């Protein structure tokens, strides 16, 4: 059993090509306040039963965090 608040690493590269493309290109950067600038260095993990994809804005390098909901599967 895992502890609550334990980050469980997942493999982003196991997603199909269309999903990866969407996550890497259809982004919102809070720092730039712009949409679809792109994400680099994606890392996927689960925390408290929620799946996240985290990367860096391709324009400014700020962290972009995407929380996956059931609607996105």
């Amino acid at each position: 059993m895992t502890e609550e608040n334990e980050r469980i690493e997942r493999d982003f590269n196991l997603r199909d090509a269309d999903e990866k493309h969407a996550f890497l290109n259809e982004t919102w950067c809070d720092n730039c306040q712009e949409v679809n600038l792109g994400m680099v260095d994606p890392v996927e993990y689960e925390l408290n039963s929620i799946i996240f994809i985290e990367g860096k804005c391709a324009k400014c390098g700020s962290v972009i965090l995407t929380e996956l909901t059931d609607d996105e599967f």
Side-chain angles (χ1 to χ4, degrees):
M1 177 173 258
T2 61
E3 295 284 325
E4 191 169 324
N5 297 323
E6 181 181 344
R7 181 171 155 156
I8 302 166
E9 298 299 321
R10 297 171 55 106
D11 190 348
F12 178 76
N13 291 312
L14 294 178
R15 294 188 171 275
D16 71 38
D18 290 338
E19 279 187 316
K20 287 193 284 191
H21 183 268
F23 286 123
L24 294 176
N25 293 289
E26 298 170 15
T27 62
W28 171 261
C29 178
D30 287 330
N31 186 59
C32 294
Q33 294 291 299
E34 290 183 56
V35 69
N36 299 339
L37 297 174
M39 177 193 295
V40 295
D41 302 327
V43 176
E44 183 173 344
Y45 59 92
E46 184 176 338
L47 183 64
N48 297 328
S49 301
I50 301 169
I51 299 171
F52 294 92
I53 297 176
E54 182 177 312
K56 296 177 184 170
C57 173
K59 181 177 179 182
C60 74
S62 292
V63 172
I64 295 174
L65 185 63
T66 302
E67 179 180 328
L68 280 64
T69 63
D70 289 337
D71 296 342
E72 296 176 84
F73 290 110

